[in-house]
Amino acid sequence: MFASRVRNGVQRYSTIRCIALGCRTLSSIDNLGLEEKLGGCLSSLPPKAKVVICGGGVMGAAVAYHLARRGWGDQTVVIEQEKIGAGSRWCSSGLVGAFKPSLAQVQIAQSSIRLLKDLESRGKPTGWKQCGSLLLARTRDRMTVYRRMKSQSVSWGIECELISAQKCQEICPLLNVDDILGGLWIPGDGVGDTHQFCLSLMREAVENGVGVMEDCAITAVHSKDGKVSGVDTTSGTIECQYFVNCAGFWARQVGRLSKPQVKVPLLPCEHYYLHTKRIDNLDPMTPVIRDPDGYIYLRERDGCILAGGFEPIAKPVNEDEIMNAAQRCIPEDWDHFHVLLQELLKRVPSLNQAILNKLCNGLEAFSPDCKWIVGEAPEMFNYHVACGMKTVGISAAGGVAEATVDEIVDGYSKYDMYELDINRFLGLHNNKRFLRDRMKEVPGVHYGLPYPFYEFETGRNLRLSPIYPTLRDRGAVFGQVMGYERPTWFESVEKNTVSPETPRQFKIAHTKTFGKPHWFETVQREYWACREAVGLADYSSFTKIDIQSQGNEVVDLLQYICSNNVDVPIGSIIHTGMQNERGGYENDCSLARISENHYMMIAPTIQQTRCKVWLKRHLPRNGSVTLSDVTSMYTAICILGPFSRSLLSELTDTDLSPSNFPFFTCMELDVGLANGIRAMNLTHTGELGYVLYIPNEFALHVYNRLMTVGEKYGINHVGHYATRSLRVEKFFAFWGQDLDTMTTPLECGRTWRVKFDKDIKFIGRDALLRQRDEGIRRQYVQLLLTDHDHELDLWSWGGEPIFRDGNYCGQTTTTSYGFTFKKQVCLGFVQNLDENGVPQQVTNDYVLSGHYEIDVAGIRYAAKVNLHSPHLPTKYPDKERDVYQATRKLHDPEQFLGRHYQP
């Protein structure tokens, strides 16, 4: 009995271990130990195939299934080093839930659920059982999360209900709800059997021509001209055009077999599955119980209880020592599992009377940010990855496989996959020491409270700008992006309290609330420094790429890739999108023309890998255009505010007047005693100012001169949260938050940046022309909450549903507090949905004629809509700043700013 084992003090762990081992010897047959076999496998490897899939688990089976559905079955081969579906069924929870952190992940999970239901309806065993899931809350913040999920369910099409603690117990009488405040009931969730699902998918794939080679290991993946060309295996060599790494636990090792090596940042952690013996009268439709505040989950399985969890401090494991599926089940550590066991016994007291069958320690691989890893590898074209499903492969496999196959067959997916794309990583993320450090924290994120702007505490102090130590000592509190430490805000620090001998402690930013954050007043101070004095911000993390050629090839390339006209005067800066064939944004960037055949591209930090891949995909094969990633060569310091020109003028002999150095231009400056500084007259926030791209060896000198001279202008350090607030208030869209691969310039008010009449037909032009003729189906808007109390009410943090005249019409993307408006500001997209939910044409008149509300955790707040970048009142009006509008211009800026202005 569990009760006696837990009461036995210091001897409890050895006692449980002995009983567990005893139970194993008493059991002659375990149904979960029986594995079905796949028939119709290949006896030898064919010499050629179009697609080779590595891995015969549920993900590889799903990819094979979808390829067969698309007519590629007889051109596809699956290679599995053991048997299809190998791996202990004891180490699989089979949980299938629709709610995920983002819309794309929700759509993927919903696709997987549809596939499970479809197979089951056709008599193909999957173990699918729609028993529902019940999410429990012990704290008010957890209930706030559930209220937010309930409001988002309108956008995501998920049926759910907020319920009381009493109702939780009615749904599942096993529960102790003494400390429960309430819950979220999701009737459409369920469970499945990963092994059965895998075999059913693979059988259908084989019936449709897919070849399966078991007991065959991959030894190398080859490339030619940067594309996949073939695979070496223990059974021979096979030529192929596409390779899909579905190796799951071993995906990182398989990536190392390719030439060049493909970096797949995964590392396994111990993960526990507790199985009881049969429990009398246990309802087979007992819902899945998730108690994230206690880190645990449990479900019914064949009359028994299967339980597990995601402990806050995990135990990483060296995967190089694990050679086969059987070795993934390692000896259990009862001391480590005890934190979960205590919570299970607290939540389901009757478990004290249950008999233990097994405690399985099955290793599971996680990515550094606790998200799935999907997409085409940056190192090799046509090499696709689908792994890192963090214990819920059955919930993700159908949708991830569908997206992967769409990208292989069509070149794109109907899902916006950028947040899951393998291109979100750099080489540093695949460093094993980094992974071991980070993985202690990652599994716990799965059930952690999803507060805004979550920051990891491990794997820090990695990428640092030269001015980082000084900023730290001046009060910087840091957030991490692409491994870079970026100031989020600055705490007040008394002068002379920090010395080189006693540097200030490194501090990580946290926002552990869904209401007014503790950093509000600090960010407010920084905001007003940018509006009324001078702010200094570290932009060093921005992606910086030099693109150049000997002749005019670089201009022709960028004219083809970019939707704006890049053939502008030397010294001009152009803001442009790089569209895909559907007109969506692959990248949103600024291009500074340094010389006739040399451009410097400034892109979002998260684009560092992604935009290089997009550029390389379209480079001339003759090597006439070269790319250089200079992100780490330059320290970027932004000075912004009405006195920024006066400040910089004291440090350079160059005339900075608008006639000599106009808005949206760049020039090389001497600043202080340093030279070679690329100065750009823009700030990415709508405020007057400059971004100085400083060779690293001069960075500290330039920073010190700016701070010394800036004292008389009231200079203040400024963090990311303040500049974010500025750009949201000015209605500036940002890639990865407002713009993505599915959003077009016409939808987000940037039609005027698309030059349809260029001599070179740019990528996506035809799609944008069709959209221009047919009309857009959604429109980017700014909404100001008019009856929201920022002191008392919960805040909008993004993803909230928008209602027009009482009907759902869209959702928010980026939000912030507007310190000039004195209101919460939300950016988002509005649709015109008919009675069947089908989007119709959206016009300006339609948008402006409605009454809007935004649902924040179940409470609707009235909102005023804007279609154009607003003019904010200021003590220091400036013609250049005020005339520039990032979203939907009202007039021609050139009449104010002259010929150099190239937005």
Side-chain angles (χ1 to χ4, degrees):
M1 300 297 180
F2 276 93
S4 60
R5 295 165 198 161
V6 174
R7 290 192 203 107
N8 282 338
V10 295
Q11 297 182 343
R12 61 180 175 268
Y13 306 116
S14 58
T15 303
I16 297 177
R17 179 169 171 77
C18 290
I19 293 176
L21 292 170
C23 289
R24 292 175 196 171
T25 59
L26 292 173
S27 179
S28 57
I29 295 179
D30 266 318
N31 289 333
L32 291 179
L34 300 176
E35 293 185 2
E36 300 178 61
K37 305 299 181 184
L38 180 72
C41 294
L42 299 173
S43 58
S44 62
L45 199 65
K48 288 185 179 180
K50 197 163 189 176
V51 183
V52 169
I53 300 169
C54 174
V58 67
M59 184 57 68
V63 172
Y65 169 87
H66 279 290
L67 280 167
R69 296 261 302 190
R70 296 297 300 271
W72 285 35
D74 58 355
Q75 304 173 79
T76 300
V77 172
V78 177
I79 295 176
E80 167 55 45
Q81 67 176 350
E82 297 183 63
K83 300 296 183 184
I84 296 300
S88 174
R89 296 169 73 183
W90 292 97
C91 297
S92 173
S93 65
L95 305 186
V96 182
F99 261 115
K100 304 296 176 191
S102 68
L103 176 59
Q105 293 177 63
V106 166
Q107 291 173 331
I108 286 169
Q110 290 172 330
S111 174
S112 298
I113 292 172
R114 287 193 298 270
L115 180 55
L116 281 162
K117 289 180 175 179
D118 175 64
L119 289 171
E120 198 72 29
S121 69
R122 292 190 281 116
K124 312 291 183 180
T126 65
W128 168 249
K129 179 171 64 175
Q130 188 173 321
C131 55
S133 67
L134 179 59
L135 281 60
L136 305 177
R138 304 188 189 188
T139 66
R140 295 184 63 180
D141 277 358
R142 185 68 67 178
M143 278 306 300
T144 296
V145 171
Y146 294 164
R147 286 197 292 271
R148 288 177 57 83
M149 291 170 67
K150 170 61 178 174
S151 68
Q152 288 174 327
S153 68
V154 177
S155 311
W156 295 352
I158 301 175
E159 182 186 354
C160 62
E161 178 187 357
L162 288 166
I163 59 176
S164 65
Q166 181 180 353
K167 182 68 174 177
C168 290
Q169 194 169 46
E170 291 174 9
I171 291 174
C172 183
L174 295 172
L175 297 176
N176 167 26
V177 297
D178 290 347
D179 60 340
I180 296 299
L181 301 183
L184 186 70
W185 168 239
I186 311 169
D189 284 355
V191 296
D193 186 310
T194 305
H195 183 70
Q196 289 185 359
F197 186 37
C198 173
L199 286 175
S200 292
L201 289 169
M202 199 65 89
R203 286 188 181 116
E204 288 229 345
V206 170
E207 289 172 7
N208 287 279
V210 172
V212 177
M213 190 73 181
E214 294 184 324
D215 301 313
C216 176
I218 287 175
T219 57
V221 180
H222 299 288
S223 64
K224 184 178 180 181
D225 298 327
K227 297 181 180 180
V228 169
S229 61
V231 176
D232 292 343
T233 77
T234 53
S235 299
T237 298
I238 179 171
E239 294 180 20
C240 62
Q241 299 175 33
Y242 296 90
F243 180 79
V244 189
N245 184 345
C246 299
F249 181 89
W250 291 277
R252 185 173 182 270
Q253 291 96 311
V254 170
R256 287 155 55 189
L257 298 176
S258 63
K259 302 174 183 179
Q261 288 191 8
V262 169
K263 300 175 183 66
V264 185
L266 286 173
L267 198 75
C269 295
E270 295 186 7
H271 190 72
Y272 288 90
Y273 302 88
L274 183 146
H275 301 262
T276 71
K277 290 288 190 179
R278 291 187 65 86
I279 297 174
D280 292 340
N281 302 317
L282 182 61
D283 187 348
M285 292 304 289
T286 297
V288 174
I289 303 299
R290 293 182 175 90
D291 182 4
D293 294 316
Y295 326 119
I296 57 172
Y297 64 81
L298 59 97
R299 57 160 288 198
E300 184 275 344
R301 186 175 192 173
D302 300 326
C304 309
I305 289 290
L306 163 61
F310 297 88
E311 63 273 30
I313 302 176
K315 288 180 64 178
V317 175
N318 183 5
E319 82 278 17
D320 291 336
E321 300 173 359
I322 310 300
M323 304 306 295
N324 54 55
Q327 292 178 355
R328 283 183 60 182
C329 293
I330 66 174
E332 62 271 32
D333 179 348
W334 283 98
D335 293 284
H336 186 71
F337 181 69
H338 183 62
V339 64
L340 300 179
L341 178 61
Q342 281 185 312
E343 298 297 338
L344 286 167
L345 295 175
K346 175 181 179 181
R347 187 57 52 226
V348 183
S350 59
L351 276 178
N352 279 288
Q353 308 307 315
I355 299 174
L356 175 68
N357 191 347
K358 276 190 179 185
L359 177 67
C360 298
N361 185 0
L363 304 181
E364 294 287 350
F366 293 81
S367 71
D369 58 1
C370 201
K371 294 179 182 178
W372 307 329
I373 303 179
V374 185
E376 189 177 27
E379 297 89 353
M380 190 186 301
F381 292 126
N382 296 346
Y383 186 119
H384 290 260
V385 177
C387 60
M389 301 302 139
K390 58 181 185 182
T391 79
V392 289
I394 190 171
S395 187
V400 167
E402 181 186 22
T404 300
V405 170
D406 286 348
E407 288 185 354
I408 291 172
V409 177
D410 303 324
Y412 65 92
S413 168
K414 63 184 177 183
Y415 306 119
D416 188 18
M417 305 288 286
Y418 78 88
E419 65 169 328
L420 305 176
D421 198 321
I422 191 171
N423 290 319
R424 72 185 186 268
F425 297 117
L426 295 169
L428 66 91
H429 294 110
N430 199 45
N431 180 306
K432 185 170 281 190
R433 289 177 181 267
F434 168 83
L435 288 169
R436 285 175 185 160
D437 190 32
R438 175 59 60 83
M439 286 307 145
K440 300 169 190 172
E441 185 180 2
V442 168
V445 172
H446 197 57
Y447 275 1
L449 276 163
Y451 287 119
F453 310 137
Y454 178 81
E455 291 287 341
F456 285 99
E457 309 227 356
T458 51
R460 301 301 295 260
N461 274 311
L462 192 53
R463 296 180 77 193
L464 310 172
S465 77
I467 61 174
Y468 159 83
T470 307
L471 297 179
R472 179 199 60 209
D473 292 344
R474 297 292 181 93
V477 179
F478 292 95
Q480 190 183 60
V481 55
M482 292 295 273
Y484 230 113
E485 295 297 348
R486 177 178 64 184
T488 54
W489 74 82
F490 285 80
E491 295 179 338
S492 297
V493 177
E494 295 294 329
K495 289 186 178 181
N496 303 320
T497 59
V498 177
S499 67
E501 293 77 23
T502 57
R504 182 175 172 272
Q505 183 182 2
F506 169 71
K507 290 193 176 182
I508 297 174
H510 291 293
T511 306
K512 296 188 176 181
T513 180
F514 296 102
K516 179 185 173 183
H518 68 281
W519 42 256
F520 179 86
E521 282 75 19
T522 302
V523 171
Q524 179 176 237
R525 183 184 69 246
E526 296 173 11
Y527 170 96
W528 285 114
C530 298
R531 297 276 289 144
E532 296 185 347
V534 180
L536 184 147
D538 184 0
Y539 280 12
S540 299
S541 67
F542 278 13
T543 299
K544 317 168 194 74
I545 296 179
D546 275 353
I547 314 169
Q548 49 195 322
S549 62
Q550 292 292 322
N552 208 45
E553 296 88 351
V554 67
V555 181
D556 293 341
L557 170 69
L558 291 174
Q559 288 287 61
Y560 173 64
I561 291 178
C562 301
S563 52
N564 206 339
N565 178 23
V566 305
D567 195 4
V568 294
I570 294 172
S572 298
I573 301 173
I574 193 80
H575 198 147
T576 182
M578 293 182 179
Q579 320 307 139
N580 54 40
E581 292 290 354
R582 283 103 47 222
Y585 279 92
E586 290 294 332
N587 187 18
D588 180 53
C589 62
S590 297
L591 285 167
R593 193 166 193 177
I594 305 299
S595 64
E596 188 70 26
N597 300 313
H598 179 188
Y599 291 81
M600 183 182 190
M601 184 180 78
I602 308 299
T605 305
I606 59 175
Q607 278 273 1
Q608 187 170 354
T609 300
R610 182 187 179 87
C611 68
K612 284 189 294 186
V613 172
W614 185 253
L615 289 166
K616 287 178 181 177
R617 185 184 297 277
H618 300 97
L619 284 177
R621 293 190 176 182
N622 60 12
S624 57
V625 178
T626 60
L627 304 180
S628 301
D629 187 344
V630 296
T631 300
S632 298
M633 291 174 58
Y634 291 93
T635 299
I637 294 178
C638 178
I639 53 171
L640 61 166
F643 298 118
S644 54
R645 182 184 294 132
S646 301
L647 166 58
L648 190 57
S649 294
E650 293 198 33
L651 294 171
T652 183
D653 294 331
T654 303
D655 178 9
L656 301 183
S657 65
S659 59
N660 188 59
F661 192 9
F663 193 40
F664 260 80
T665 62
C666 67
M667 62 170 58
E668 191 169 291
L669 298 181
D670 295 342
V671 178
L673 306 182
N675 74 309
I677 287 116
R678 295 178 182 178
M680 301 191 185
N681 189 344
L682 79 172
T683 64
H684 306 286
T685 64
E687 296 301 318
L688 183 68
Y690 307 89
V691 183
L692 307 177
Y693 291 93
I694 310 162
N696 282 337
E697 63 267 30
F698 296 135
L700 196 56
H701 168 79
V702 172
Y703 166 82
N704 286 331
R705 288 298 177 99
L706 288 169
M707 292 303 297
T708 300
V709 176
E711 279 192 23
K712 63 183 175 184
Y713 296 106
I715 193 167
N716 260 282
H717 289 99
V718 172
H720 171 65
Y721 290 176
T723 56
R724 185 178 185 274
S725 178
L726 288 164
R727 74 101 175 159
V728 170
E729 205 169 33
K730 286 292 186 70
F731 202 0
F732 279 37
F734 206 72
W735 196 91
Q737 299 172 40
D738 311 294
L739 310 179
D740 52 41
T741 59
M742 314 292 279
T743 303
T744 73
L746 280 65
E747 295 167 346
C748 66
R750 294 183 171 187
T751 308
W752 55 290
R753 286 184 179 159
V754 178
K755 302 303 187 288
F756 291 104
D757 56 353
K758 291 196 299 183
D759 293 337
I760 295 178
K761 180 180 175 182
F762 62 86
I763 300 172
R765 179 177 181 271
D766 291 344
L768 294 179
L769 283 173
R770 283 194 302 272
Q771 190 178 57
R772 187 178 69 175
D773 294 339
E774 297 170 1
I776 57 176
R777 296 295 186 268
R778 61 178 189 150
Q779 195 157 22
Y780 188 50
V781 300
Q782 183 188 64
L783 294 153
L784 312 180
L785 301 191
T786 56
D787 60 352
H788 180 272
D789 186 334
H790 76 276
E791 294 282 352
L792 301 176
D793 295 327
L794 294 173
W795 281 28
S796 167
W797 294 102
E800 291 82 11
I802 304 171
F803 292 84
R804 179 184 180 275
D805 297 337
N807 299 310
Y808 169 76
C809 68
Q811 63 183 114
T812 63
T813 51
T814 310
T815 65
S816 182
Y817 185 79
F819 293 100
T820 297
F821 283 132
K822 293 183 173 60
K823 290 179 172 58
Q824 192 88 12
V825 183
C826 303
L827 308 181
F829 288 88
V830 166
Q831 294 177 293
N832 177 10
L833 302 174
D834 65 17
E835 61 273 11
N836 297 316
V838 179
Q840 304 298 310
Q841 185 175 348
V842 176
T843 63
N844 287 2
D845 288 341
Y846 171 83
V847 172
L848 295 173
S849 63
H851 169 70
Y852 291 90
E853 296 170 301
I854 293 178
D855 187 326
V856 181
I859 300 176
R860 294 189 187 182
Y861 298 93
K864 177 184 179 296
V865 68
N866 286 332
L867 278 175
H868 301 88
S869 293
H871 288 295
L872 302 181
T874 176
K875 297 178 182 178
Y876 306 99
D878 181 90
K879 184 182 293 186
E880 284 189 306
R881 176 186 61 187
D882 293 342
V883 77
Y884 176 70
Q885 293 182 298
T887 306
R888 301 187 186 90
K889 64 176 183 176
L890 287 170
H891 42 63
D892 184 4
E894 289 192 10
Q895 63 180 300
F896 299 97
L897 302 177
R899 68 179 183 85
H900 287 284
Y901 178 70
Q902 302 288 340

